[in-house]
Amino acid sequence: MEPASRFFWCLLLLLQETLVHPYSVPADAANLESVVVSVLNVTAKAGSQMVLPCKSYRMVWTQDRLNDRQRVVHWDLYRGQYGDYNSERLCDMYSAGEQRVYSGYNKGRIFMPDAAFKDGNFSLVIKDLAESDEGVYSCNLHHHYCHLYETVKIQLDITTKVKGVKEYWDGEKAVIVALQGSTVELPCINRNHIWTDRFDEEDQQVVHWDRQPPGVPHDRADRLIDLYASGERRSYGPLFIRQKMDIAERAFSQGDFSLKISGLEAADKGTYSCHLHHHYCGLHERRIFQVFVVEPEPETKVVNVTRHNAPAADPNAGRGHNVINVIIPESRAHFFQQLGYILATLLLFILLLILVVLVTRKRRRRSFEYNMKKCDQKDMNLREFTVDTTDLANYKSEDIKLDYKNNILKEKAEHSVRFPAKNIDLDKDFRKEYCK
């Protein structure tokens, strides 16, 4: 039951992916090892034209007019001991030319197969071995067009005994012990297509662009354009997308594979990738562009303000001074107008508040000064005034002797004599009365 359920879930996921992405082409499924060379952020206005730069002179394809002298193999001999070696060029051969032997002594004695650049066998054959042939031999393969260099080293030792003939690996290079006077073949074999397939170069150079909408991973990107060095061109997607995106026709002759996008829209934002693949040379590069589309600034509006009483303009006269051209951006004018209203209202409120505060403070200060002056005027010391008390003293000291006709008059006279005059502090009373 468990295998059946797993199979059902796998089938369901496969159907889901097929339904969700029916028109998407994998961006780079066959070349996942592409090296990211650069990542750029590009911002452009909607409705404008954008160019995403993608240039590489290593991708320039040119027909070889020198009989394919871009590939060469040569053998060198190093003699010496303890790291002190003397090098000697033995022979070399171009892919479309004859091999060349540098020493007259070695002509006819050493050679390479004539079909070396067809079957990838660059081995060196040495006849009639001598002791002078001992040393380290180096097989060097150079591809100037692709900038590739490969080297194979072999050490050759000469012996006079048949039992001493052997081959082994010393940890760094192959060692061959050959019999003196015999013929030996120093192996150097490389059957990589880059050294053998010359006529397939233009078919293995391709440039393609893809696009990832926001939130879409790289393996689900949409393919836009494929361009081959042979001249083949493929465009993908709806017709309106194919019409607005283009690459120059002479891209491979100039090394410029930039993508031109016309009529930008908000839906064009996303991640664009330029993939350069030179399968012949093993070149795989990728350039990434993060594209952002912004709305353009509002257009300026020209307002013609004319005077109502202005005379009719003379067509034969020069340009008059009655017309004033005022350029006012619509959105900014509305914003500054509202801002002016708000600032004016705020300023008026602040002025009123300042006026109220000043008036209140002035009134409080006046009332405080008035109370102080009133208290100063009413605070009088009655001791400064003189009171004539001579009559009162004499009256108190006199011994009044009257004949009282009744008891009432007698009691009044006794009360006036017994009780002395009451001492009253008039200053204290006045302060209490006037300072309330």
Side-chain angles (χ1 to χ4, degrees), residues 330-361:
E330 296 181 356
S331 61
R332 293 187 179 180
H334 181 72
F335 171 74
F336 286 116
Q337 185 179 9
Q338 299 297 330
L339 182 62
Y341 291 155
I342 295 174
L343 293 178
T345 306
L346 183 62
L347 182 60
L348 181 61
F349 176 75
I350 293 174
L351 292 177
L352 291 176
L353 183 62
I354 293 175
L355 182 62
V356 171
V357 171
L358 292 177
V359 171
T360 305
R361 293 185 62 182

Side-chain angles (χ1 to χ4, degrees), residues 214-238:
V216 176
H218 172 60
D219 57 348
R220 292 297 181 183
D222 297 329
R223 182 70 57 85
L224 299 176
I225 298 176
D226 284 342
L227 183 63
Y228 295 86
S230 59
E232 183 181 359
R233 186 189 189 95
R234 300 175 185 175
S235 298
Y236 303 90

Side-chain angles (χ1 to χ4, degrees), residues 9-47:
W9 282 111
C10 293
L11 182 60
L12 184 61
L13 291 175
L14 181 61
L15 291 175
Q16 183 180 3
E17 292 179 359
T18 305
L19 292 174
V20 173
H21 307 282
Y23 301 104
S24 63
V25 178
D28 199 12
N31 297 281
L32 300 177
E33 70 279 2
S34 299
V35 178
V36 177
V37 177
S38 62
V39 179
L40 298 177
N41 294 331
V42 184
T43 303
K45 297 180 181 179

Side-chain angles (χ1 to χ4, degrees), residues 291-339:
V291 176
F292 302 93
V293 181
V294 297
E295 294 296 330
E297 296 181 358
E299 298 181 358
T300 57
K301 184 177 180 180
V302 180
V303 180
N304 294 328
V305 181
T306 59
R307 298 179 182 177
H308 296 286
N309 299 327
D314 187 2
N316 299 325
R319 189 174 182 179
H321 300 281
N322 297 328
V323 179
I324 301 174
N325 295 328
V326 181
I327 300 175
I328 304 175
E330 296 181 356
S331 61
R332 293 187 179 180
H334 181 72
F335 171 74
F336 286 116
Q337 185 179 9
Q338 299 297 330
L339 182 62

Side-chain angles (χ1 to χ4, degrees), residues 75-81 84-88 90 124 126 129-138 152-159 170 173-178 184 186:
W75 280 89
D76 298 332
L77 173 61
Y78 298 89
R79 297 187 182 93
Q81 294 180 351
D84 186 11
Y85 293 100
N86 296 324
S87 62
E88 178 186 357
L90 299 178
L124 180 65
I126 305 176
L129 286 174
E131 293 184 358
S132 59
D133 294 328
E134 286 187 347
V136 178
Y137 288 78
S138 175
V152 177
K153 291 185 178 181
I154 302 172
Q155 181 176 343
L156 177 61
D157 295 334
I158 307 298
T159 181
D170 66 353
K173 57 186 177 298
V175 179
I176 298 176
V177 181
V184 67
L186 304 181

Side-chain angles (χ1 to χ4, degrees), residues 261-272:
I261 307 175
S262 58
L264 278 174
E265 300 177 359
D268 294 330
K269 66 179 180 180
T271 303
Y272 291 75

